[in-house]
Amino acid sequence: MVKLIVFDLDGTLIDSRLDLAGAVNHMRGTMGLEPLTADRVISFVGNGVPNLVRRAIADAEVDFDEALRRMKKYYSCHLMDSTSLYSGVKAGLKALGAQGIKLAVVTNKPTGAATVILEKLGVAGFLADIIGGDSDYPLKPEPDALNALRAKYRLPAESCWMFGDHYTDLEAGRRAGFRRALAKYGFGEARGEKPDFEVDSFSEFVMAIKGF
């Protein structure tokens, strides 16, 4: 039986592409740099904010710490300009929780930003845990946060799932011994990781989980 599902955030529960791209390009603009396309910015997402910024200024000689400060400051004020839940997420989380499954988020986004977004979108109440990239655990693809959740709820790994859109999610799940599903509708890439199944929507994931 499925006892625990750990979700990624960006590209899995929420579509945050425009706000992330906007924050990066605001930072670049204030540092005299040309904007990047949204697709280019999104290709840098998945390994935490510092790595996003580092990649976004790789074409220029600017101070990294200042670029990171400017990006984080702007993004903290513009978390929800365009960000929204993917279709079916709210109803899906409610349905999964009603089955007695523990639901959690493990994201490389800072915990505070993740929590604010989930609260404003009305789904934080379905989640037992929200663990961000500034927690005591290393970023995904390290499996430490997943292992901690499994230990917290005293569950065998085979009853736990990791659902995300990026190789960091799938690798973390594999290394923790979790079963894994890929959100093909997100903006990450599997990079050779082989999930148990792939889905084109959150609702499809919910239906698939009912078969386990």
Side-chain angles (χ1 to χ4, degrees):
M1 293 180 62
V2 180
K3 296 292 187 180
L4 169 69
I5 302 174
V6 178
F7 299 98
D8 174 47
L9 183 59
D10 298 84
T12 303
L13 298 183
I14 63 171
D15 184 349
S16 53
R17 287 174 289 186
L18 293 180
D19 288 336
L20 288 169
V24 165
N25 280 326
H26 173 83
M27 173 272 291
R28 284 180 60 91
T30 64
M31 303 188 87
L33 305 177
E34 293 295 318
L36 302 173
T37 66
D39 286 344
R40 181 68 172 160
V41 174
I42 295 310
S43 73
F44 300 149
V45 173
N47 300 89
V49 175
N51 282 313
L52 168 60
V53 171
R54 189 173 287 108
R55 293 163 182 163
I57 60 171
D59 62 335
E61 293 185 5
V62 296
D63 183 77
F64 166 75
D65 290 333
E66 180 60 18
L68 179 62
R69 186 192 69 79
R70 294 187 188 192
M71 190 274 184
K72 291 173 69 174
K73 181 179 179 180
Y74 182 87
Y75 186 56
S76 69
C77 299
H78 297 270
L79 293 170
M80 298 293 298
D81 288 1
S82 300
T83 292
S84 62
L85 293 172
Y86 283 108
S87 177
V89 167
K90 190 169 187 176
L93 292 176
K94 182 177 181 180
L96 292 169
Q99 295 179 41
I101 301 172
K102 289 287 185 183
L103 308 178
V105 162
V106 173
T107 174
N108 287 345
K109 183 190 291 291
T111 305
T115 301
V116 168
I117 290 170
L118 291 164
E119 287 177 345
K120 288 185 177 295
L121 292 174
V123 295
F126 298 121
L127 301 164
D129 303 89
I130 301 171
I131 299 175
D134 54 353
S135 68
D136 293 333
Y137 307 108
L139 300 179
K140 295 174 295 182
E142 297 300 322
D144 301 51
L146 277 63
N147 287 331
L149 287 170
R150 181 181 61 79
K152 176 181 178 179
Y153 296 113
R154 300 180 180 181
L155 297 172
E158 58 268 23
S159 71
C160 304
W161 282 80
M162 178 73 221
F163 181 41
D165 69 313
H166 202 44
Y167 80 92
T168 53
D169 309 310
L170 300 179
E171 182 180 333
R174 171 172 55 78
R175 292 169 65 186
F178 285 25
R179 305 187 78 170
R180 304 169 298 153
L182 175 67
K184 291 174 63 180
Y185 57 84
F187 41 83
E189 53 186 4
R191 292 194 188 178
E193 291 288 336
K194 303 296 183 184
D196 291 86
F197 63 82
E198 303 177 357
V199 296
D200 292 312
S201 70
F202 194 87
S203 298
E204 186 180 345
F205 170 77
V206 175
M207 291 300 297
I209 282 293
K210 290 181 179 180
F212 289 89

